[in-house]
Amino acid sequence: MKIICIGMNYAEHVRELPSVWDGKEQAIPQEPVFFIKPDTALLRNNDPFYIPDFSEDVQYECELVVRINRLCKGIEERFAHRCYEEVGLGIDFTARDLQRECKAKGRPWEIAKGFDHSAAVAPAFIPKTELPDVQNLRFSMDLNGERKQTGYTGDMIFSIDRIIAYVSRFVTLRIGDLLFTGTPVGVGQVHIGDRITAELEGRTMLDFDIK
Ligand code: MG
């Protein structure tokens, strides 16, 4: 399986990017921006996240995660809703210092985004049928009990169906692939001893420690 991640999918987050990157304003993308993490990036079952020794600035990005449930190649947007039945939450851990370096040198982001255990995924997903419309979901992430991010999927620049249509033109999606749909505003650094909790529509989805 693979993990497809969307960047810059919430306008407020795009506006905060100069503060975490290089100070330069970022334009709202005209098409979805995506990158892929390998399966070795998965962190499951609320296992602790160990800060890797190669970064001084690992940051959390809490995101709605969609689990693909069929083979999707060149899917039209109007059929994309058939490609997933469950959604959950995840954390797209990012070595921000390495990402800044990669950006400055015009290099790919893999060392900053695709490292081991950089994709924490909720132990249980929720069937779409138990939730309001997927573009009408609220989620949040707390660090040590303090609210850091609140997301509303209606604020996505590109809807889940639009993303699936776009990505599946280039990359075939398979059963079990995970789609991280972008982070809302409020990204920040994690430290040893922190605890991350996250809720989707009032249900606790993530609860794990940073070590
Ligand atoms: Mg992200």
PDB file of all heavy atoms in Angstrom, residues 6 9 29-32 75-81 84 135 156-169 179:
ATOM      1  N   ILE A   6      -1.904  15.206   0.385  1.00  0.00           N
ATOM      2  CA  ILE A   6      -2.181  16.448  -0.317  1.00  0.00           C
ATOM      3  C   ILE A   6      -1.579  17.606   0.477  1.00  0.00           C
ATOM      4  O   ILE A   6      -1.733  17.674   1.707  1.00  0.00           O
ATOM      5  CB  ILE A   6      -3.709  16.654  -0.469  1.00  0.00           C
ATOM      6  CG1 ILE A   6      -4.340  15.453  -1.172  1.00  0.00           C
ATOM      7  CG2 ILE A   6      -4.020  17.954  -1.206  1.00  0.00           C
ATOM      8  CD1 ILE A   6      -3.836  15.199  -2.576  1.00  0.00           C
ATOM      9  N   ASN A   9      -4.069  22.380   1.060  1.00  0.00           N
ATOM     10  CA  ASN A   9      -5.486  22.193   0.687  1.00  0.00           C
ATOM     11  C   ASN A   9      -6.448  23.011   1.546  1.00  0.00           C
ATOM     12  O   ASN A   9      -7.658  22.862   1.413  1.00  0.00           O
ATOM     13  CB  ASN A   9      -5.846  20.709   0.736  1.00  0.00           C
ATOM     14  CG  ASN A   9      -7.065  20.389  -0.112  1.00  0.00           C
ATOM     15  OD1 ASN A   9      -7.364  21.113  -1.073  1.00  0.00           O
ATOM     16  ND2 ASN A   9      -7.782  19.338   0.230  1.00  0.00           N
ATOM     17  N   PRO A  29      -2.971  26.904  -4.662  1.00  0.00           N
ATOM     18  CA  PRO A  29      -2.726  26.070  -5.849  1.00  0.00           C
ATOM     19  C   PRO A  29      -3.941  25.993  -6.778  1.00  0.00           C
ATOM     20  O   PRO A  29      -5.081  26.047  -6.320  1.00  0.00           O
ATOM     21  CB  PRO A  29      -2.384  24.694  -5.271  1.00  0.00           C
ATOM     22  CG  PRO A  29      -2.747  24.728  -3.841  1.00  0.00           C
ATOM     23  CD  PRO A  29      -2.884  26.148  -3.408  1.00  0.00           C
ATOM     24  N   GLN A  30      -3.672  25.874  -8.055  1.00  0.00           N
ATOM     25  CA  GLN A  30      -4.741  25.756  -9.059  1.00  0.00           C
ATOM     26  C   GLN A  30      -5.156  24.300  -9.249  1.00  0.00           C
ATOM     27  O   GLN A  30      -6.230  24.016  -9.758  1.00  0.00           O
ATOM     28  CB  GLN A  30      -4.262  26.322 -10.402  1.00  0.00           C
ATOM     29  CG  GLN A  30      -3.873  27.797 -10.327  1.00  0.00           C
ATOM     30  CD  GLN A  30      -5.038  28.671  -9.919  1.00  0.00           C
ATOM     31  OE1 GLN A  30      -6.085  28.656 -10.555  1.00  0.00           O
ATOM     32  NE2 GLN A  30      -4.868  29.422  -8.834  1.00  0.00           N
ATOM     33  N   GLU A  31      -4.255  23.386  -8.907  1.00  0.00           N
ATOM     34  CA  GLU A  31      -4.548  21.954  -8.981  1.00  0.00           C
ATOM     35  C   GLU A  31      -4.011  21.320  -7.698  1.00  0.00           C
ATOM     36  O   GLU A  31      -3.105  21.872  -7.070  1.00  0.00           O
ATOM     37  CB  GLU A  31      -3.843  21.326 -10.183  1.00  0.00           C
ATOM     38  CG  GLU A  31      -4.487  21.705 -11.496  1.00  0.00           C
ATOM     39  CD  GLU A  31      -3.859  20.999 -12.681  1.00  0.00           C
ATOM     40  OE1 GLU A  31      -2.619  20.949 -12.736  1.00  0.00           O
ATOM     41  OE2 GLU A  31      -4.614  20.502 -13.528  1.00  0.00           O
ATOM     42  N   PRO A  32      -4.552  20.151  -7.310  1.00  0.00           N
ATOM     43  CA  PRO A  32      -4.049  19.527  -6.079  1.00  0.00           C
ATOM     44  C   PRO A  32      -2.539  19.269  -6.161  1.00  0.00           C
ATOM     45  O   PRO A  32      -2.015  18.943  -7.230  1.00  0.00           O
ATOM     46  CB  PRO A  32      -4.817  18.190  -6.023  1.00  0.00           C
ATOM     47  CG  PRO A  32      -6.052  18.424  -6.830  1.00  0.00           C
ATOM     48  CD  PRO A  32      -5.647  19.375  -7.922  1.00  0.00           C
ATOM     49  N   ILE A  75     -10.272   7.848 -12.577  1.00  0.00           N
ATOM     50  CA  ILE A  75     -11.659   7.954 -12.100  1.00  0.00           C
ATOM     51  C   ILE A  75     -12.206   9.361 -12.345  1.00  0.00           C
ATOM     52  O   ILE A  75     -11.532  10.348 -12.038  1.00  0.00           O
ATOM     53  CB  ILE A  75     -11.710   7.638 -10.582  1.00  0.00           C
ATOM     54  CG1 ILE A  75     -11.293   6.190 -10.311  1.00  0.00           C
ATOM     55  CG2 ILE A  75     -13.092   7.923  -9.993  1.00  0.00           C
ATOM     56  CD1 ILE A  75     -12.263   5.149 -10.772  1.00  0.00           C
ATOM     57  N   GLU A  76     -13.392   9.464 -12.877  1.00  0.00           N
ATOM     58  CA  GLU A  76     -14.035  10.774 -13.019  1.00  0.00           C
ATOM     59  C   GLU A  76     -14.506  11.245 -11.642  1.00  0.00           C
ATOM     60  O   GLU A  76     -14.928  10.429 -10.813  1.00  0.00           O
ATOM     61  CB  GLU A  76     -15.253  10.678 -13.946  1.00  0.00           C
ATOM     62  CG  GLU A  76     -14.905  10.627 -15.415  1.00  0.00           C
ATOM     63  CD  GLU A  76     -16.171  10.549 -16.255  1.00  0.00           C
ATOM     64  OE1 GLU A  76     -17.082  11.369 -16.044  1.00  0.00           O
ATOM     65  OE2 GLU A  76     -16.244   9.650 -17.104  1.00  0.00           O
ATOM     66  N   GLU A  77     -14.483  12.563 -11.465  1.00  0.00           N
ATOM     67  CA  GLU A  77     -14.845  13.123 -10.162  1.00  0.00           C
ATOM     68  C   GLU A  77     -16.232  12.653  -9.706  1.00  0.00           C
ATOM     69  O   GLU A  77     -16.442  12.328  -8.542  1.00  0.00           O
ATOM     70  CB  GLU A  77     -14.800  14.655 -10.243  1.00  0.00           C
ATOM     71  CG  GLU A  77     -15.020  15.313  -8.899  1.00  0.00           C
ATOM     72  CD  GLU A  77     -14.828  16.820  -8.929  1.00  0.00           C
ATOM     73  OE1 GLU A  77     -14.164  17.327  -9.862  1.00  0.00           O
ATOM     74  OE2 GLU A  77     -15.349  17.484  -8.026  1.00  0.00           O
ATOM     75  N   ARG A  78     -17.171  12.561 -10.632  1.00  0.00           N
ATOM     76  CA  ARG A  78     -18.543  12.212 -10.223  1.00  0.00           C
ATOM     77  C   ARG A  78     -18.659  10.762  -9.747  1.00  0.00           C
ATOM     78  O   ARG A  78     -19.636  10.400  -9.116  1.00  0.00           O
ATOM     79  CB  ARG A  78     -19.526  12.500 -11.359  1.00  0.00           C
ATOM     80  CG  ARG A  78     -19.346  11.648 -12.598  1.00  0.00           C
ATOM     81  CD  ARG A  78     -20.061  12.275 -13.797  1.00  0.00           C
ATOM     82  NE  ARG A  78     -19.611  11.646 -15.028  1.00  0.00           N
ATOM     83  CZ  ARG A  78     -20.381  10.866 -15.779  1.00  0.00           C
ATOM     84  NH1 ARG A  78     -21.629  10.641 -15.430  1.00  0.00           N
ATOM     85  NH2 ARG A  78     -19.896  10.342 -16.883  1.00  0.00           N
ATOM     86  N   PHE A  79     -17.659   9.922 -10.076  1.00  0.00           N
ATOM     87  CA  PHE A  79     -17.685   8.529  -9.608  1.00  0.00           C
ATOM     88  C   PHE A  79     -16.744   8.296  -8.423  1.00  0.00           C
ATOM     89  O   PHE A  79     -16.706   7.204  -7.867  1.00  0.00           O
ATOM     90  CB  PHE A  79     -17.293   7.574 -10.734  1.00  0.00           C
ATOM     91  CG  PHE A  79     -18.241   7.600 -11.900  1.00  0.00           C
ATOM     92  CD1 PHE A  79     -17.772   7.792 -13.193  1.00  0.00           C
ATOM     93  CD2 PHE A  79     -19.605   7.426 -11.697  1.00  0.00           C
ATOM     94  CE1 PHE A  79     -18.658   7.813 -14.273  1.00  0.00           C
ATOM     95  CE2 PHE A  79     -20.491   7.454 -12.766  1.00  0.00           C
ATOM     96  CZ  PHE A  79     -20.013   7.651 -14.058  1.00  0.00           C
ATOM     97  N   ALA A  80     -15.983   9.322  -8.058  1.00  0.00           N
ATOM     98  CA  ALA A  80     -14.914   9.133  -7.062  1.00  0.00           C
ATOM     99  C   ALA A  80     -15.459   8.741  -5.688  1.00  0.00           C
ATOM    100  O   ALA A  80     -14.774   8.069  -4.913  1.00  0.00           O
ATOM    101  CB  ALA A  80     -14.065  10.399  -6.953  1.00  0.00           C
ATOM    102  N   HIS A  81     -16.683   9.123  -5.382  1.00  0.00           N
ATOM    103  CA  HIS A  81     -17.256   8.793  -4.066  1.00  0.00           C
ATOM    104  C   HIS A  81     -17.374   7.281  -3.862  1.00  0.00           C
ATOM    105  O   HIS A  81     -17.468   6.798  -2.736  1.00  0.00           O
ATOM    106  CB  HIS A  81     -18.626   9.460  -3.893  1.00  0.00           C
ATOM    107  CG  HIS A  81     -19.663   8.958  -4.844  1.00  0.00           C
ATOM    108  ND1 HIS A  81     -20.547   7.954  -4.502  1.00  0.00           N
ATOM    109  CD2 HIS A  81     -19.930   9.293  -6.128  1.00  0.00           C
ATOM    110  CE1 HIS A  81     -21.328   7.707  -5.551  1.00  0.00           C
ATOM    111  NE2 HIS A  81     -20.980   8.494  -6.540  1.00  0.00           N
ATOM    112  N   TYR A  84     -14.243   5.057  -1.823  1.00  0.00           N
ATOM    113  CA  TYR A  84     -13.935   4.991  -0.383  1.00  0.00           C
ATOM    114  C   TYR A  84     -15.225   4.878   0.419  1.00  0.00           C
ATOM    115  O   TYR A  84     -16.261   5.425   0.025  1.00  0.00           O
ATOM    116  CB  TYR A  84     -13.132   6.232   0.060  1.00  0.00           C
ATOM    117  CG  TYR A  84     -13.809   7.550  -0.228  1.00  0.00           C
ATOM    118  CD1 TYR A  84     -14.500   8.236   0.760  1.00  0.00           C
ATOM    119  CD2 TYR A  84     -13.771   8.112  -1.503  1.00  0.00           C
ATOM    120  CE1 TYR A  84     -15.136   9.443   0.500  1.00  0.00           C
ATOM    121  CE2 TYR A  84     -14.412   9.314  -1.777  1.00  0.00           C
ATOM    122  CZ  TYR A  84     -15.091   9.966  -0.779  1.00  0.00           C
ATOM    123  OH  TYR A  84     -15.728  11.146  -1.049  1.00  0.00           O
ATOM    124  N   GLN A 135     -17.788  16.240   3.068  1.00  0.00           N
ATOM    125  CA  GLN A 135     -17.304  17.629   2.946  1.00  0.00           C
ATOM    126  C   GLN A 135     -17.958  18.539   3.990  1.00  0.00           C
ATOM    127  O   GLN A 135     -17.963  19.749   3.854  1.00  0.00           O
ATOM    128  CB  GLN A 135     -17.540  18.161   1.532  1.00  0.00           C
ATOM    129  CG  GLN A 135     -16.781  17.420   0.446  1.00  0.00           C
ATOM    130  CD  GLN A 135     -15.265  17.348   0.607  1.00  0.00           C
ATOM    131  OE1 GLN A 135     -14.651  16.379   0.226  1.00  0.00           O
ATOM    132  NE2 GLN A 135     -14.655  18.364   1.201  1.00  0.00           N
ATOM    133  N   MET A 156     -11.874  22.685   2.448  1.00  0.00           N
ATOM    134  CA  MET A 156     -10.835  22.174   1.538  1.00  0.00           C
ATOM    135  C   MET A 156     -10.872  22.941   0.213  1.00  0.00           C
ATOM    136  O   MET A 156     -11.951  23.234  -0.313  1.00  0.00           O
ATOM    137  CB  MET A 156     -11.067  20.688   1.222  1.00  0.00           C
ATOM    138  CG  MET A 156     -10.741  19.747   2.355  1.00  0.00           C
ATOM    139  SD  MET A 156     -11.034  18.030   1.809  1.00  0.00           S
ATOM    140  CE  MET A 156     -10.673  17.165   3.332  1.00  0.00           C
ATOM    141  N   ILE A 157      -9.700  23.266  -0.307  1.00  0.00           N
ATOM    142  CA  ILE A 157      -9.632  23.914  -1.624  1.00  0.00           C
ATOM    143  C   ILE A 157     -10.059  22.903  -2.694  1.00  0.00           C
ATOM    144  O   ILE A 157     -10.827  23.232  -3.600  1.00  0.00           O
ATOM    145  CB  ILE A 157      -8.199  24.438  -1.884  1.00  0.00           C
ATOM    146  CG1 ILE A 157      -7.840  25.512  -0.850  1.00  0.00           C
ATOM    147  CG2 ILE A 157      -8.075  24.966  -3.317  1.00  0.00           C
ATOM    148  CD1 ILE A 157      -6.370  25.900  -0.823  1.00  0.00           C
ATOM    149  N   PHE A 158      -9.590  21.660  -2.567  1.00  0.00           N
ATOM    150  CA  PHE A 158      -9.976  20.579  -3.487  1.00  0.00           C
ATOM    151  C   PHE A 158     -10.700  19.500  -2.683  1.00  0.00           C
ATOM    152  O   PHE A 158     -10.145  18.967  -1.714  1.00  0.00           O
ATOM    153  CB  PHE A 158      -8.747  19.991  -4.175  1.00  0.00           C
ATOM    154  CG  PHE A 158      -7.964  21.034  -4.928  1.00  0.00           C
ATOM    155  CD1 PHE A 158      -6.749  21.482  -4.434  1.00  0.00           C
ATOM    156  CD2 PHE A 158      -8.461  21.591  -6.086  1.00  0.00           C
ATOM    157  CE1 PHE A 158      -6.030  22.470  -5.098  1.00  0.00           C
ATOM    158  CE2 PHE A 158      -7.753  22.582  -6.766  1.00  0.00           C
ATOM    159  CZ  PHE A 158      -6.537  23.023  -6.259  1.00  0.00           C
ATOM    160  N   SER A 159     -11.920  19.161  -3.098  1.00  0.00           N
ATOM    161  CA  SER A 159     -12.712  18.155  -2.392  1.00  0.00           C
ATOM    162  C   SER A 159     -12.040  16.781  -2.507  1.00  0.00           C
ATOM    163  O   SER A 159     -11.185  16.559  -3.377  1.00  0.00           O
ATOM    164  CB  SER A 159     -14.115  18.081  -2.988  1.00  0.00           C
ATOM    165  OG  SER A 159     -14.037  17.525  -4.293  1.00  0.00           O
ATOM    166  N   ILE A 160     -12.478  15.866  -1.660  1.00  0.00           N
ATOM    167  CA  ILE A 160     -11.938  14.503  -1.699  1.00  0.00           C
ATOM    168  C   ILE A 160     -12.139  13.904  -3.098  1.00  0.00           C
ATOM    169  O   ILE A 160     -11.225  13.292  -3.662  1.00  0.00           O
ATOM    170  CB  ILE A 160     -12.633  13.630  -0.631  1.00  0.00           C
ATOM    171  CG1 ILE A 160     -12.271  14.153   0.763  1.00  0.00           C
ATOM    172  CG2 ILE A 160     -12.258  12.159  -0.783  1.00  0.00           C
ATOM    173  CD1 ILE A 160     -13.164  13.628   1.876  1.00  0.00           C
ATOM    174  N   ASP A 161     -13.314  14.085  -3.666  1.00  0.00           N
ATOM    175  CA  ASP A 161     -13.595  13.492  -4.986  1.00  0.00           C
ATOM    176  C   ASP A 161     -12.722  14.114  -6.077  1.00  0.00           C
ATOM    177  O   ASP A 161     -12.248  13.428  -6.972  1.00  0.00           O
ATOM    178  CB  ASP A 161     -15.083  13.641  -5.325  1.00  0.00           C
ATOM    179  CG  ASP A 161     -15.959  12.797  -4.401  1.00  0.00           C
ATOM    180  OD1 ASP A 161     -15.403  12.008  -3.605  1.00  0.00           O
ATOM    181  OD2 ASP A 161     -17.195  12.937  -4.463  1.00  0.00           O
ATOM    182  N   ARG A 162     -12.503  15.417  -5.960  1.00  0.00           N
ATOM    183  CA  ARG A 162     -11.635  16.093  -6.938  1.00  0.00           C
ATOM    184  C   ARG A 162     -10.200  15.560  -6.824  1.00  0.00           C
ATOM    185  O   ARG A 162      -9.512  15.343  -7.830  1.00  0.00           O
ATOM    186  CB  ARG A 162     -11.678  17.602  -6.675  1.00  0.00           C
ATOM    187  CG  ARG A 162     -10.731  18.432  -7.475  1.00  0.00           C
ATOM    188  CD  ARG A 162     -11.251  18.781  -8.852  1.00  0.00           C
ATOM    189  NE  ARG A 162     -10.187  19.291  -9.707  1.00  0.00           N
ATOM    190  CZ  ARG A 162      -9.733  20.545  -9.693  1.00  0.00           C
ATOM    191  NH1 ARG A 162     -10.293  21.441  -8.896  1.00  0.00           N
ATOM    192  NH2 ARG A 162      -8.757  20.925 -10.491  1.00  0.00           N
ATOM    193  N   ILE A 163      -9.763  15.346  -5.580  1.00  0.00           N
ATOM    194  CA  ILE A 163      -8.403  14.838  -5.346  1.00  0.00           C
ATOM    195  C   ILE A 163      -8.252  13.441  -5.964  1.00  0.00           C
ATOM    196  O   ILE A 163      -7.267  13.151  -6.654  1.00  0.00           O
ATOM    197  CB  ILE A 163      -8.098  14.778  -3.823  1.00  0.00           C
ATOM    198  CG1 ILE A 163      -8.000  16.185  -3.235  1.00  0.00           C
ATOM    199  CG2 ILE A 163      -6.831  13.984  -3.560  1.00  0.00           C
ATOM    200  CD1 ILE A 163      -8.033  16.215  -1.702  1.00  0.00           C
ATOM    201  N   ILE A 164      -9.233  12.571  -5.720  1.00  0.00           N
ATOM    202  CA  ILE A 164      -9.155  11.201  -6.244  1.00  0.00           C
ATOM    203  C   ILE A 164      -9.129  11.231  -7.779  1.00  0.00           C
ATOM    204  O   ILE A 164      -8.353  10.506  -8.409  1.00  0.00           O
ATOM    205  CB  ILE A 164     -10.318  10.349  -5.702  1.00  0.00           C
ATOM    206  CG1 ILE A 164     -10.078  10.063  -4.212  1.00  0.00           C
ATOM    207  CG2 ILE A 164     -10.475   9.038  -6.496  1.00  0.00           C
ATOM    208  CD1 ILE A 164     -11.234   9.400  -3.496  1.00  0.00           C
ATOM    209  N   ALA A 165      -9.962  12.091  -8.372  1.00  0.00           N
ATOM    210  CA  ALA A 165      -9.975  12.203  -9.831  1.00  0.00           C
ATOM    211  C   ALA A 165      -8.605  12.655 -10.333  1.00  0.00           C
ATOM    212  O   ALA A 165      -8.054  12.085 -11.290  1.00  0.00           O
ATOM    213  CB  ALA A 165     -11.057  13.183 -10.267  1.00  0.00           C
ATOM    214  N   TYR A 166      -8.033  13.645  -9.666  1.00  0.00           N
ATOM    215  CA  TYR A 166      -6.746  14.195 -10.098  1.00  0.00           C
ATOM    216  C   TYR A 166      -5.622  13.170  -9.923  1.00  0.00           C
ATOM    217  O   TYR A 166      -4.889  12.862 -10.869  1.00  0.00           O
ATOM    218  CB  TYR A 166      -6.425  15.470  -9.317  1.00  0.00           C
ATOM    219  CG  TYR A 166      -5.136  16.117  -9.742  1.00  0.00           C
ATOM    220  CD1 TYR A 166      -5.089  16.922 -10.874  1.00  0.00           C
ATOM    221  CD2 TYR A 166      -3.962  15.902  -9.035  1.00  0.00           C
ATOM    222  CE1 TYR A 166      -3.895  17.505 -11.287  1.00  0.00           C
ATOM    223  CE2 TYR A 166      -2.764  16.476  -9.443  1.00  0.00           C
ATOM    224  CZ  TYR A 166      -2.733  17.276 -10.565  1.00  0.00           C
ATOM    225  OH  TYR A 166      -1.550  17.840 -10.974  1.00  0.00           O
ATOM    226  N   VAL A 167      -5.493  12.622  -8.713  1.00  0.00           N
ATOM    227  CA  VAL A 167      -4.378  11.710  -8.427  1.00  0.00           C
ATOM    228  C   VAL A 167      -4.459  10.479  -9.317  1.00  0.00           C
ATOM    229  O   VAL A 167      -3.441  10.010  -9.847  1.00  0.00           O
ATOM    230  CB  VAL A 167      -4.367  11.311  -6.932  1.00  0.00           C
ATOM    231  CG1 VAL A 167      -3.331  10.217  -6.670  1.00  0.00           C
ATOM    232  CG2 VAL A 167      -4.094  12.526  -6.042  1.00  0.00           C
ATOM    233  N   SER A 168      -5.677   9.954  -9.529  1.00  0.00           N
ATOM    234  CA  SER A 168      -5.815   8.683 -10.262  1.00  0.00           C
ATOM    235  C   SER A 168      -5.562   8.832 -11.762  1.00  0.00           C
ATOM    236  O   SER A 168      -5.512   7.846 -12.480  1.00  0.00           O
ATOM    237  CB  SER A 168      -7.195   8.049 -10.001  1.00  0.00           C
ATOM    238  OG  SER A 168      -8.219   8.772 -10.657  1.00  0.00           O
ATOM    239  N   ARG A 169      -5.387  10.060 -12.239  1.00  0.00           N
ATOM    240  CA  ARG A 169      -4.919  10.258 -13.620  1.00  0.00           C
ATOM    241  C   ARG A 169      -3.462   9.834 -13.752  1.00  0.00           C
ATOM    242  O   ARG A 169      -3.018   9.402 -14.811  1.00  0.00           O
ATOM    243  CB  ARG A 169      -4.982  11.739 -14.012  1.00  0.00           C
ATOM    244  CG  ARG A 169      -6.346  12.251 -14.369  1.00  0.00           C
ATOM    245  CD  ARG A 169      -6.314  13.752 -14.589  1.00  0.00           C
ATOM    246  NE  ARG A 169      -5.391  14.144 -15.647  1.00  0.00           N
ATOM    247  CZ  ARG A 169      -4.927  15.387 -15.820  1.00  0.00           C
ATOM    248  NH1 ARG A 169      -5.282  16.348 -14.984  1.00  0.00           N
ATOM    249  NH2 ARG A 169      -4.118  15.671 -16.815  1.00  0.00           N
ATOM    250  N   LEU A 179      -5.289   8.143   1.822  1.00  0.00           N
ATOM    251  CA  LEU A 179      -5.192   9.495   1.269  1.00  0.00           C
ATOM    252  C   LEU A 179      -5.288  10.504   2.407  1.00  0.00           C
ATOM    253  O   LEU A 179      -6.343  10.640   3.047  1.00  0.00           O
ATOM    254  CB  LEU A 179      -6.338   9.690   0.277  1.00  0.00           C
ATOM    255  CG  LEU A 179      -6.509  11.062  -0.363  1.00  0.00           C
ATOM    256  CD1 LEU A 179      -5.314  11.402  -1.242  1.00  0.00           C
ATOM    257  CD2 LEU A 179      -7.792  11.078  -1.199  1.00  0.00           C
TER     258      LEU A 179
END
